[in-house]
Amino acid sequence: MGESMTWVQALILGLVQGLTEFLPISSSAHLRIVSAVFWDKDAGASFTAVTQLGTEAAVLVYFAKDIGRIVQAWFGVNWEKLTQRNRETVPITDQVTTKLPVMTADRLAAHDARAQRDLDYRVGWYVIIATIPIGILGYLFKDEIRTGARNLWLVSFMLIAFALVIAAGEHYGRKIRPIEQLTTRDGLVMGLAQCLALVPGVSRSGATSTAGLFLGLEREAAVRFSFLLAIPAVTASGLFSLPDAFAPAGEGLNASGPQLLVATIVAFLVGYASVAWLLKFVSKHSLNWFVGYRIVLGLVVMALLATGVVSAT
C-alpha cells in the first residue's frame, strides 16, 4: 500500500494540474515531477486522469456556446438527413434563371448562420473521428501508461524531444488556414497526434496544436480545435480511472475521495483562467515561448536523476 496523500499535497497537485493542462508543457509530466521532487512519491496516473476532469469541465464552461452549437448542429443535420425524403431534381436545362439575389443584411445573416451550422456540424464529426485512435490505443496500453511510461528518464527525454517538434511546427507551419477550413484529414492527423500524449512529457495540447501548425492552420485555430478535441478523450479517461483513484492499491501517494474532489475543483478554477489566458496569448505570440522552458525542465530532471536526488520510478 502507498502513503496517504496530505491535504497540502492534494491542493498543490490540483493547482499544478490547472496551471499546466492547457499549456504545451505536459500536465502529467509536471504532476509526476512535482510529486517526485518534493515528496519522493508518484501521485499516480489515476489521480492525474481524475483531476483532468476538473480542467475539462473548465473547457466545457468556457466553450459552452460553441459546444452547444456543435452538438445541436450535429444532431440536427443528421436527423434531417435521416428523415429527408428523396425529391426529384429539375434538370439544369429546365431551371429558371434569375439574377443573383441582393445580399441584404437579412440575407447575409442567414448565409452566415448556414455557414456556421455547416462548420459546427463538420467540427462535431472531426472530434468524433479524431477521438477514435486515442480511445483504442489508450485501452490497449492502459497498463503500460500507468507504469513504465511514468519513468522520469522517459518523461524528461520527451519534454526535450517534443520541445524540438513544437519549434519545428512553429518554423515550418504556414499558419494561414482559419478554423473554417478544417477538413477530415486535419481531424484525423490531429487525432493521431493526440495519441502521443499517452506518454507523460509530450503534452496533449502541444501534440495536437503542433500537428495543426504542420497542417497550415492558424495558431489560434489549432489551439481552439485542440481544446475541443481533448474533451471526449480526457473525460472518458477520467471516468474510467475513477474506481482506481477512489480505491488505490498501489505504491505512491493515495488520495482520499474528498481530496480528489477538492483537487479537481482547484484544477477547474485555475484551468478556466488558463484557457482564457492561452487563447489570448497564442493570438499574438508563438508556442516557442514554451520550448525553452521544456528543454530547461527536462535537463534539470535529468540532472536530478543522474545525481540520485530523485528516483526514476
Side-chain angles (χ1 to χ4, degrees):
M1 289 292 294
E3 178 183 321
S4 296
M5 183 178 290
T6 67
W7 277 102
V8 172
Q9 291 169 337
L11 290 172
I12 291 175
L13 292 173
L15 177 63
V16 171
Q17 168 63 29
L19 284 172
T20 60
E21 171 65 20
F22 303 113
L23 306 183
I25 55 177
S26 180
S27 61
S28 56
H30 278 73
L31 289 174
R32 177 72 180 92
I33 292 169
V34 168
S35 56
V37 171
F38 291 101
W39 308 303
D40 194 27
K41 299 289 182 181
D42 185 0
S46 295
F47 179 90
T48 301
V50 172
T51 53
Q52 282 178 334
L53 290 174
T55 45
E56 287 314 303
V59 173
L60 289 173
V61 173
Y62 190 87
F63 290 106
K65 291 183 179 179
D66 301 69
I67 295 170
R69 286 199 327 269
I70 291 170
V71 171
Q72 185 178 11
W74 191 86
F75 280 103
V77 173
N78 280 308
W79 176 253
E80 290 174 4
K81 289 184 176 182
L82 185 65
T83 58
Q84 187 178 31
R85 296 178 180 178
N86 291 327
R87 295 171 181 159
E88 292 184 0
T89 58
V90 179
I92 294 179
T93 55
D94 295 337
Q95 292 181 5
V96 178
T97 58
T98 60
K99 294 182 179 180
L100 291 175
V102 177
M103 191 60 75
T104 62
D106 291 339
R107 285 185 180 275
L108 184 60
H111 172 76
D112 291 343
R114 287 194 298 271
Q116 183 65 59
R117 189 171 188 243
D118 175 66
L119 173 62
D120 293 334
Y121 170 71
R122 289 188 289 112
V123 169
W125 269 120
Y126 300 156
V127 169
I128 293 172
I129 294 171
T131 302
I132 295 174
I134 196 172
I136 296 173
L137 293 179
Y139 178 78
L140 292 177
F141 297 101
K142 59 182 181 296
D143 293 332
E144 289 78 2
I145 294 168
R146 297 182 180 188
T147 54
R150 298 183 67 78
N151 185 289
L152 279 176
W153 279 111
L154 176 60
V155 171
S156 56
F157 172 79
M158 294 308 298
L159 280 169
I160 297 171
F162 210 79
L164 302 179
V165 176
I166 294 174
E170 279 287 355
H171 180 74
Y172 293 106
R174 295 191 299 163
K175 299 182 282 292
I176 60 174
R177 297 170 53 213
I179 197 169
E180 288 80 8
Q181 294 182 11
L182 272 174
T183 66
T184 304
R185 186 195 67 160
D186 298 331
L188 184 56
V189 171
M190 294 178 73
L192 291 172
Q194 185 175 220
C195 296
L196 298 173
L198 294 173
V199 180
V202 172
S203 169
R204 184 186 308 276
S205 62
T208 50
S209 298
T210 302
L213 295 181
F214 276 118
L215 291 166
L217 291 174
E218 294 176 347
R219 191 181 297 111
E220 189 174 359
V223 172
R224 184 174 290 270
F225 183 70
S226 171
F227 286 163
L228 296 174
L229 178 58
I231 293 173
V234 173
T235 302
S237 174
L239 294 176
F240 183 79
S241 299
L242 275 174
D244 294 331
F246 280 100
E251 298 180 354
L253 295 172
N254 294 332
S256 65
Q259 288 172 335
L260 270 172
L261 178 61
V262 171
T264 303
I265 293 174
V266 171
F268 165 77
L269 296 174
V270 179
Y272 185 89
S274 180
V275 171
W277 177 83
L278 183 61
L279 284 174
K280 291 181 180 178
F281 181 85
V282 298
S283 66
K284 299 179 180 179
H285 304 86
S286 78
L287 298 181
N288 283 328
W289 283 87
F290 303 102
V291 170
Y293 171 80
R294 289 178 61 107
I295 293 175
V296 171
L297 179 61
L299 291 174
V300 169
V301 174
M302 285 184 174
L304 294 176
L305 289 168
T307 55
V309 175
V310 296
S311 173
T313 57

